[in-house]
CSV table of all heavy atoms in Angstrom, one decimal:
chain,number,residue,atom,x,y,z
A,1,ILE,N,14.8,-15.9,-15.4
A,1,ILE,CA,14.4,-17.2,-15.9
A,1,ILE,C,13.3,-17.8,-15.1
A,1,ILE,O,13.2,-17.6,-13.9
A,1,ILE,CB,15.7,-18.1,-15.9
A,1,ILE,CG1,16.3,-18.3,-14.6
A,1,ILE,CG2,16.7,-17.7,-17.0
A,1,ILE,CD1,17.5,-19.3,-14.6
A,2,VAL,N,12.5,-18.6,-15.8
A,2,VAL,CA,11.5,-19.4,-15.1
A,2,VAL,C,12.1,-20.8,-15.0
A,2,VAL,O,12.4,-21.4,-15.9
A,2,VAL,CB,10.2,-19.4,-16.0
A,2,VAL,CG1,9.1,-20.3,-15.3
A,2,VAL,CG2,9.7,-18.0,-16.3
A,3,ARG,N,12.1,-21.3,-13.7
A,3,ARG,CA,12.7,-22.6,-13.4
A,3,ARG,C,11.6,-23.7,-13.3
A,3,ARG,O,11.8,-24.8,-13.6
A,3,ARG,CB,13.5,-22.5,-12.1
A,3,ARG,CG,14.8,-21.7,-12.2
A,3,ARG,CD,15.9,-22.6,-11.8
A,3,ARG,NE,17.1,-21.9,-12.0
A,3,ARG,CZ,18.1,-22.2,-12.8
A,3,ARG,NH1,17.9,-23.2,-13.6
A,3,ARG,NH2,19.2,-21.5,-12.9
A,4,SER,N,10.5,-23.3,-12.7
A,4,SER,CA,9.4,-24.3,-12.5
A,4,SER,C,8.1,-23.6,-12.6
A,4,SER,O,8.0,-22.4,-12.3
A,4,SER,CB,9.6,-25.1,-11.2
A,4,SER,OG,9.4,-24.2,-10.1
A,5,ILE,N,7.1,-24.4,-13.0
A,5,ILE,CA,5.8,-23.9,-13.2
A,5,ILE,C,4.7,-24.9,-12.6
A,5,ILE,O,5.0,-26.0,-12.4
A,5,ILE,CB,5.4,-23.7,-14.7
A,5,ILE,CG1,5.5,-25.0,-15.5
A,5,ILE,CG2,6.4,-22.6,-15.3
A,5,ILE,CD1,5.1,-24.8,-17.0
A,6,PRO,N,3.6,-24.3,-12.2
A,6,PRO,CA,2.5,-25.2,-11.7
A,6,PRO,C,2.0,-26.2,-12.8
A,6,PRO,O,2.1,-25.8,-14.0
A,6,PRO,CB,1.4,-24.3,-11.2
A,6,PRO,CG,1.7,-23.0,-12.0
A,6,PRO,CD,3.1,-23.0,-12.3
A,7,VAL,N,1.5,-27.3,-12.4
A,7,VAL,CA,1.0,-28.2,-13.4
A,7,VAL,C,-0.2,-27.7,-14.2
A,7,VAL,O,-0.4,-28.1,-15.4
A,7,VAL,CB,0.5,-29.6,-12.7
A,7,VAL,CG1,1.7,-30.3,-12.1
A,7,VAL,CG2,-0.6,-29.3,-11.7
A,8,TRP,N,-0.9,-26.7,-13.8
A,8,TRP,CA,-2.0,-26.2,-14.5
A,8,TRP,C,-1.6,-25.2,-15.6
A,8,TRP,O,-2.4,-24.7,-16.4
A,8,TRP,CB,-3.1,-25.5,-13.6
A,8,TRP,CG,-2.5,-24.5,-12.6
A,8,TRP,CD1,-2.2,-24.7,-11.3
A,8,TRP,CD2,-2.3,-23.1,-12.9
A,8,TRP,NE1,-1.7,-23.6,-10.8
A,8,TRP,CE2,-1.8,-22.6,-11.7
A,8,TRP,CE3,-2.4,-22.3,-14.0
A,8,TRP,CZ2,-1.4,-21.2,-11.5
A,8,TRP,CZ3,-2.1,-20.9,-13.8
A,8,TRP,CH2,-1.6,-20.4,-12.6
A,9,LEU,N,-0.3,-24.8,-15.6
A,9,LEU,CA,0.1,-23.8,-16.6
A,9,LEU,C,0.7,-24.5,-17.8
A,9,LEU,O,1.6,-25.4,-17.7
A,9,LEU,CB,1.2,-22.9,-15.9
A,9,LEU,CG,1.8,-21.8,-16.8
A,9,LEU,CD1,0.7,-20.8,-17.2
A,9,LEU,CD2,2.8,-21.0,-16.0
A,10,ASN,N,0.3,-24.1,-19.0
A,10,ASN,CA,0.8,-24.7,-20.2
A,10,ASN,C,2.1,-24.1,-20.6
A,10,ASN,O,2.2,-22.9,-20.8
A,10,ASN,CB,-0.3,-24.5,-21.3
A,10,ASN,CG,0.1,-25.1,-22.6
A,10,ASN,OD1,1.3,-25.5,-22.9
A,10,ASN,ND2,-0.9,-25.2,-23.5
A,11,GLN,N,3.1,-24.9,-20.7
A,11,GLN,CA,4.5,-24.4,-21.0
A,11,GLN,C,4.6,-23.7,-22.3
A,11,GLN,O,5.4,-22.8,-22.5
A,11,GLN,CB,5.5,-25.6,-20.9
A,11,GLN,CG,6.9,-25.2,-21.1
A,11,GLN,CD,7.9,-26.3,-21.0
A,11,GLN,OE1,7.5,-27.4,-20.5
A,11,GLN,NE2,9.1,-26.1,-21.4
A,12,ASN,N,3.8,-24.1,-23.3
A,12,ASN,CA,3.8,-23.5,-24.6
A,12,ASN,C,3.4,-22.1,-24.6
A,12,ASN,O,3.9,-21.3,-25.5
A,12,ASN,CB,2.9,-24.3,-25.6
A,12,ASN,CG,3.4,-25.7,-25.8
A,12,ASN,OD1,4.6,-26.0,-25.7
A,12,ASN,ND2,2.5,-26.6,-26.1
A,13,ASP,N,2.6,-21.6,-23.7
A,13,ASP,CA,2.1,-20.3,-23.6
A,13,ASP,C,2.9,-19.4,-22.6
A,13,ASP,O,2.6,-18.3,-22.4
A,13,ASP,CB,0.7,-20.2,-23.2
A,13,ASP,CG,-0.3,-20.9,-24.2
A,13,ASP,OD1,0.1,-20.9,-25.4
A,13,ASP,OD2,-1.3,-21.3,-23.8
A,14,LEU,N,4.0,-20.0,-22.1
A,14,LEU,CA,4.6,-19.4,-20.9
A,14,LEU,C,5.2,-18.0,-21.2
A,14,LEU,O,4.9,-17.1,-20.4
A,14,LEU,CB,5.7,-20.3,-20.4
A,14,LEU,CG,6.4,-19.9,-19.1
A,14,LEU,CD1,5.4,-19.8,-18.0
A,14,LEU,CD2,7.5,-20.8,-18.8
A,15,THR,N,5.9,-17.8,-22.3
A,15,THR,CA,6.5,-16.5,-22.6
A,15,THR,C,5.5,-15.4,-22.7
A,15,THR,O,5.6,-14.3,-22.1
A,15,THR,CB,7.4,-16.6,-23.8
A,15,THR,OG1,8.4,-17.6,-23.6
A,15,THR,CG2,8.1,-15.2,-24.1
A,16,HIS,N,4.5,-15.7,-23.5
A,16,HIS,CA,3.4,-14.7,-23.8
A,16,HIS,C,2.6,-14.4,-22.5
A,16,HIS,O,2.3,-13.3,-22.1
A,16,HIS,CB,2.5,-15.2,-24.9
A,16,HIS,CG,1.5,-14.2,-25.3
A,16,HIS,ND1,0.1,-14.3,-25.1
A,16,HIS,CD2,1.6,-13.0,-26.0
A,16,HIS,CE1,-0.5,-13.2,-25.6
A,16,HIS,NE2,0.4,-12.4,-26.1
A,17,PHE,N,2.3,-15.5,-21.7
A,17,PHE,CA,1.6,-15.4,-20.5
A,17,PHE,C,2.4,-14.5,-19.5
A,17,PHE,O,1.9,-13.6,-18.9
A,17,PHE,CB,1.4,-16.8,-19.9
A,17,PHE,CG,1.0,-16.8,-18.5
A,17,PHE,CD1,-0.3,-16.5,-18.2
A,17,PHE,CD2,1.8,-17.2,-17.5
A,17,PHE,CE1,-0.8,-16.6,-16.8
A,17,PHE,CE2,1.4,-17.2,-16.1
A,17,PHE,CZ,0.1,-16.9,-15.8
A,18,MET,N,3.7,-14.8,-19.4
A,18,MET,CA,4.5,-14.0,-18.4
A,18,MET,C,4.6,-12.6,-18.8
A,18,MET,O,4.6,-11.7,-18.0
A,18,MET,CB,6.0,-14.6,-18.3
A,18,MET,CG,6.0,-16.0,-17.6
A,18,MET,SD,5.3,-16.0,-15.9
A,18,MET,CE,6.6,-15.0,-15.1
A,19,GLN,N,4.7,-12.3,-20.1
A,19,GLN,CA,4.7,-10.9,-20.6
A,19,GLN,C,3.4,-10.2,-20.2
A,19,GLN,O,3.4,-9.1,-19.7
A,19,GLN,CB,4.9,-10.8,-22.1
A,19,GLN,CG,5.1,-9.4,-22.6
A,19,GLN,CD,6.4,-8.8,-22.1
A,19,GLN,OE1,7.4,-9.4,-22.1
A,19,GLN,NE2,6.3,-7.6,-21.5
A,20,ASP,N,2.3,-10.9,-20.3
A,20,ASP,CA,1.0,-10.3,-19.9
A,20,ASP,C,0.9,-10.0,-18.4
A,20,ASP,O,0.5,-8.9,-18.0
A,20,ASP,CB,-0.2,-11.2,-20.3
A,20,ASP,CG,-0.5,-11.2,-21.8
A,20,ASP,OD1,0.1,-10.4,-22.5
A,20,ASP,OD2,-1.3,-12.1,-22.2
A,21,VAL,N,1.4,-10.9,-17.7
A,21,VAL,CA,1.4,-10.7,-16.2
A,21,VAL,C,2.4,-9.6,-15.8
A,21,VAL,O,2.1,-8.8,-14.9
A,21,VAL,CB,1.8,-12.1,-15.5
A,21,VAL,CG1,2.0,-11.9,-14.0
A,21,VAL,CG2,0.7,-13.1,-15.8
A,22,MET,N,3.6,-9.6,-16.4
A,22,MET,CA,4.5,-8.5,-16.1
A,22,MET,C,3.9,-7.1,-16.5
A,22,MET,O,4.1,-6.2,-15.7
A,22,MET,CB,5.8,-8.6,-17.0
A,22,MET,CG,6.8,-9.5,-16.3
A,22,MET,SD,8.4,-9.4,-17.2
A,22,MET,CE,8.0,-9.6,-18.9
A,23,ASP,N,3.2,-7.0,-17.6
A,23,ASP,CA,2.6,-5.8,-18.0
A,23,ASP,C,1.6,-5.3,-17.0
A,23,ASP,O,1.5,-4.2,-16.6
A,23,ASP,CB,2.0,-5.9,-19.4
A,23,ASP,CG,3.0,-6.0,-20.5
A,23,ASP,OD1,4.2,-5.8,-20.3
A,23,ASP,OD2,2.5,-6.4,-21.6
A,24,ARG,N,0.8,-6.3,-16.5
A,24,ARG,CA,-0.2,-6.0,-15.5
A,24,ARG,C,0.5,-5.5,-14.2
A,24,ARG,O,0.1,-4.5,-13.6
A,24,ARG,CB,-1.1,-7.2,-15.2
A,24,ARG,CG,-2.0,-7.1,-14.0
A,24,ARG,CD,-3.1,-6.1,-14.3
A,24,ARG,NE,-3.8,-5.9,-13.1
A,24,ARG,CZ,-5.1,-6.1,-12.9
A,24,ARG,NH1,-5.8,-6.5,-14.0
A,24,ARG,NH2,-5.7,-5.9,-11.8
């Protein structure tokens, strides 16, 4: 689970963004 995010990260894109980062 993601509990907190930096202010510069858009919460709406979080799941897709995290998947891209995990793949990398």
Side-chain angles (χ1 to χ4, degrees):
I1 55 174
V2 179
R3 290 238 179 245
S4 63
I5 62 176
V7 294
W8 52 264
L9 183 61
N10 183 342
Q11 184 177 346
N12 296 333
D13 296 333
L14 187 60
T15 302
H16 190 248
F17 169 74
M18 291 301 293
Q19 188 63 51
D20 286 351
V21 173
M22 272 191 311
D23 291 345
R24 170 69 189 239

